[in-house]
Amino acid sequence: MSAYGIEGLKWIKGPREQLPFSMDEYERRLKQVRRVMEERGIDVLLVNDSSNICYLTGHAYPSYLFAQAIVPRGREKGVTIVCSEVDLGVVTDSTWVRDIRTWPQEKDVFPGDYVKVILKEKSLDDKTIGYQLASGQLPPSTYLKFREILPEAKFVEASDIVTSIQYVKSPKEIEYCREAAKLAETGAEAGIDAIREGVTEREIAFAISKALYEHGSEYRSGFCLASGPNTASLHHSPTTRKIRKGDLVTMEPIGNCLYYHCTILRTAALGSPSKKAKDLHRVAMEALIEGTKMIRPGVTMKSVEEVTREVAAKYGYEKYRCHRVGFSMGRMGMIASDLEHSMYGLMKGEKSLIKPGMIFTIEPNFADLEERIGILLGNNVLVTETGCEPLYELPLDLVEK
């Protein structure tokens, strides 16, 4: 009991109509997580990353409000989800977990006090607690408050535990990613078809979104699309700028199947673009092809980045490369700051090895900020036992309309 009204703690049991995976698969994931916890001496894991919560429990967390999945090392202690009262219904409908606790949205309520009560129930309030410090979904003040209210506990960094398991996809996850890729490709085709003089970037984005939803894609909070000088901003959101003759149009539609995401990056032009634009696109395509050849089991992630930069350097265009060449795709939360695509990637210095079942986006994009020219070009690829398989059939060529 405390001034925060712990007596309001709720425990409910409810039905779950359909899970995206079998209980055997959820059990396998938890077993892998608990094995790593055992190796590191972690007694309980506090999971706050939305992608990780969904991966372990089935629940796709729908807002920025505080949420935790409490995963004890001991299977007999059970998994608990803590959420706000307003999210109780959606949590109940989307997870196999039956121990769901809520906290009220009231002034001066700290949801962590409810987590403390649960940890005490499970005799874990003075043990070693794994905490996801690298997750962007809870502020540092929350971690500091946890340390204040649990003075007997030992906190250790554990952001990578669930994410490291997520990287290698199961057959069912690969099935969902293939469907997401089909949706993304449909969106790209609709976007290219919508390009004409006088339409705005937002009208093209609408055509993409319409095609995605009509073909079954689920919620996603936006994607990159730009035209003309805006293309130099690679993460540009669509505006009311109207398309003109000679403009490049860059796009990154995102398909979503049961919160498994795939992206496709393409560049098109209305009429004939500048020679510089054509040259940049040609080099990006060569880099993409060579980088894709490098993706196979046993290769370091940094090697893919190195190959694509070598292609750019051969033509004197390395200075226009401004970000890593790729990252892991798959299960992403409704909030973009998930750990799966932010912790590792196809980038300089990353020595992790590529394994079968991983899915990457590979996108050697270019941005010439002086001439205001940007190129988006990329595919998602599935790592096989001997190499990799692109998930798209849409040609890489620069489309001139």
Side-chain angles (χ1 to χ4, degrees):
M1 198 75 66
S2 82
Y4 294 102
I6 295 302
E7 66 272 15
L9 203 66
K10 294 180 180 178
W11 176 47
I12 70 158
K13 291 184 178 180
R16 174 62 168 101
E17 292 183 2
Q18 185 178 0
L19 290 166
F21 300 97
S22 68
M23 277 308 304
D24 286 343
E25 182 150 345
Y26 287 113
E27 288 289 351
R28 176 186 60 79
R29 295 171 181 179
L30 284 167
K31 186 176 181 179
Q32 289 179 288
V33 167
R34 285 171 169 145
R35 183 166 60 245
V36 178
M37 292 170 66
E38 178 74 31
E39 293 170 354
R40 298 189 188 181
I42 295 172
D43 298 296
V44 60
L45 182 64
L46 298 186
V47 184
N48 62 63
D49 178 76
S50 65
S51 175
N52 288 178
I53 291 173
C54 185
Y55 185 73
L56 295 177
T57 73
H59 169 50
Y61 191 59
S63 74
Y64 282 95
L65 299 176
F66 178 104
Q68 297 275 325
I70 301 172
V71 182
R73 186 170 69 192
R75 186 176 185 275
E76 72 283 355
K77 293 182 182 291
V79 175
T80 303
I81 292 179
V82 182
C83 67
S84 67
E85 289 181 340
V86 70
D87 290 322
L88 179 59
V90 71
V91 175
T92 306
D93 289 343
S94 64
T95 180
W96 58 265
V97 176
R98 289 292 153 255
D99 188 3
I100 303 170
R101 317 290 183 97
T102 67
W103 54 272
Q105 293 183 20
E106 299 173 4
K107 184 176 174 60
D108 297 327
V109 166
F110 175 54
D113 279 328
Y114 293 74
V115 174
K116 177 182 177 180
V117 168
I118 298 163
L119 293 176
K120 192 172 183 65
E121 286 177 9
K122 298 176 185 287
S123 301
L124 293 169
D125 57 317
D126 60 351
K127 305 298 183 182
T128 299
I129 299 174
Y131 194 87
Q132 294 185 311
L133 287 166
S135 170
Q137 295 179 229
L138 287 180
S141 59
T142 299
Y143 170 67
L144 296 175
K145 185 67 174 177
F146 265 123
R147 296 198 59 152
E148 179 184 325
I149 66 172
L150 293 165
E152 302 300 317
K154 176 185 177 182
F155 285 83
V156 297
E157 161 64 357
S159 299
D160 65 318
I161 291 180
V162 182
T163 301
S164 63
I165 296 167
Q166 279 183 278
Y167 272 113
V168 177
K169 306 297 186 291
S170 70
K172 196 68 175 176
E173 289 180 290
I174 292 171
E175 178 185 325
Y176 294 152
C177 287
R178 288 187 186 280
E179 181 60 28
K182 289 180 183 177
L183 292 165
E185 192 163 34
T186 297
E189 291 170 340
I192 292 171
D193 186 61
I195 295 172
R196 59 183 59 86
E197 190 170 9
V199 304
T200 66
E201 293 174 354
R202 288 180 182 170
E203 287 175 308
I204 298 173
F206 174 77
I208 293 172
S209 297
K210 184 173 182 288
L212 288 171
Y213 286 122
E214 284 182 343
H215 286 82
S217 187
E218 295 170 273
Y219 172 81
R220 174 66 189 177
S221 58
F223 50 84
C224 300
L225 189 143
S227 66
N230 291 342
T231 61
S233 176
L234 298 183
H235 286 167
H236 184 79
S237 296
T239 69
T240 56
R241 183 186 183 276
K242 293 183 178 181
I243 310 302
R244 305 166 188 169
K245 283 285 188 181
D247 276 351
L248 290 178
V249 179
T250 58
M251 62 187 69
E252 186 181 8
I254 304 173
N256 177 350
C257 176
L258 290 171
Y259 296 103
Y260 279 78
H261 292 70
C262 280
T263 64
I264 183 170
L265 295 85
R266 291 293 186 270
T267 298
L270 183 63
S272 182
S274 68
K275 181 180 182 301
K276 181 68 169 290
K278 290 180 178 180
D279 288 345
L280 282 171
H281 191 280
R282 174 179 51 79
V283 177
M285 186 162 65
E286 182 177 332
L288 176 56
I289 292 169
E290 294 304 313
T292 302
K293 291 178 183 177
M294 178 61 66
I295 298 177
R296 59 184 182 273
V299 171
T300 59
M301 295 183 186
K302 69 174 185 175
S303 299
V304 182
E305 166 80 4
E306 290 167 356
V307 166
T308 61
R309 287 194 177 272
E310 286 171 4
V311 172
K314 181 172 67 173
Y315 297 99
Y317 284 167
E318 187 177 10
K319 64 181 179 179
Y320 302 128
R321 281 285 314 280
C322 52
H323 63 73
R324 59 185 175 175
V325 77
F327 49 84
S328 176
M329 295 299 297
R331 168 71 194 102
M332 291 194 181
M334 293 181 71
I335 302 170
S337 59
D338 62 281
L339 293 173
E340 183 175 2
H341 87 280
S342 63
M343 289 194 67
Y344 303 107
L346 306 176
M347 59 185 173
K348 185 176 181 179
E350 183 51 72
K351 298 178 181 179
S352 299
L353 298 180
I354 295 172
K355 300 176 182 179
M358 291 181 169
I359 295 177
F360 292 101
T361 177
I362 175 168
E363 44 188 76
N365 303 318
F366 288 107
D368 181 343
L369 297 179
E370 292 182 0
E371 296 190 37
R372 302 299 299 176
I373 300 171
I375 301 294
L376 290 185
L377 190 65
N379 280 338
N380 291 177
V381 298
L382 167 66
V383 183
T384 65
E385 294 293 335
T386 58
C388 71
E389 173 194 346
L391 298 181
Y392 299 110
E393 297 181 355
L394 192 66
L396 300 175
D397 305 274
L398 177 63
V399 177
E400 296 184 27
K401 297 192 66 180

